[in-house]
Amino acid sequence: MNWTDERVERLKKLWADGLSASQIAAQLGGVSRNAVICKVHRLNLPGRAKSGGQASVRTKRTTTAPRAPAYAGRTATQTTTRTVSRSSGSAQLKQDLDVVAVEDVDTRPIEDVVVPISRRLTLVELSERTCKWPIGDPLQEGFHFCGNDSGEASPYCGYHAKLAFQPTNERKRAR
DNA sequence: CCCTGATTCGC
DNA sequence: GCGAATCAGG
């Protein structure tokens, strides 16, 4: 794919919005997330600040050179003073695993009420183990999927699986 | 294993 | 300039 000006601008916007490289790649289409990251660097866009989030904090790369440097006369010591003003992206992603495992001896009604933090994935971003619970109106803008970890067996995350597969025996067993 | 961004290097 | 392969890390 060619990096047209329009695509570059979309890249800039999405990156500034705090979307991850893979998400941007999915929305642009035709490019891998690596390509997106590389492009971001070449555009001299500010990389992801190491603030709180995951990733980054790359400590040089002096430990065991992955590839034998053809010529060792090159010190890649860069002192880039990054002044990233962003403190918290608008689309701060969170990947928490809500464990519903009940192994303890205590038998108390565990009602998970707090889970509804979705990842706002679009259709193309769904993978094999992302929750496919739709959120919003497919005809309206802003429609997305939950996107949280669905484990592997269920198409939904723990929270939405409970909503989707409401136990039928609850009613019958009630009496 | 899932994911993240960072870096190197061959094209 | 581009991006796959690779790395380090959460």
Side-chain angles (χ1 to χ4, degrees), chain A residues 98 115 131-132 146 148-151 154-162:
Chain A
D98 50 303
V115 178
C131 179
K132 297 161 192 64
C146 169
N148 283 316
D149 187 13
S150 65
S154 173
Y156 304 119
C157 67
Y159 174 74
H160 288 131
K162 284 183 178 178

Side-chain angles (χ1 to χ4, degrees), chain A residues 1-17:
Chain A
M1 286 295 287
N2 232 14
W3 280 108
T4 64
D5 290 353
E6 306 179 18
R7 291 170 62 81
V8 169
E9 291 208 24
R10 278 214 288 160
L11 165 62
K12 287 182 181 178
K13 179 186 181 301
L14 294 173
W15 184 260
D17 282 345

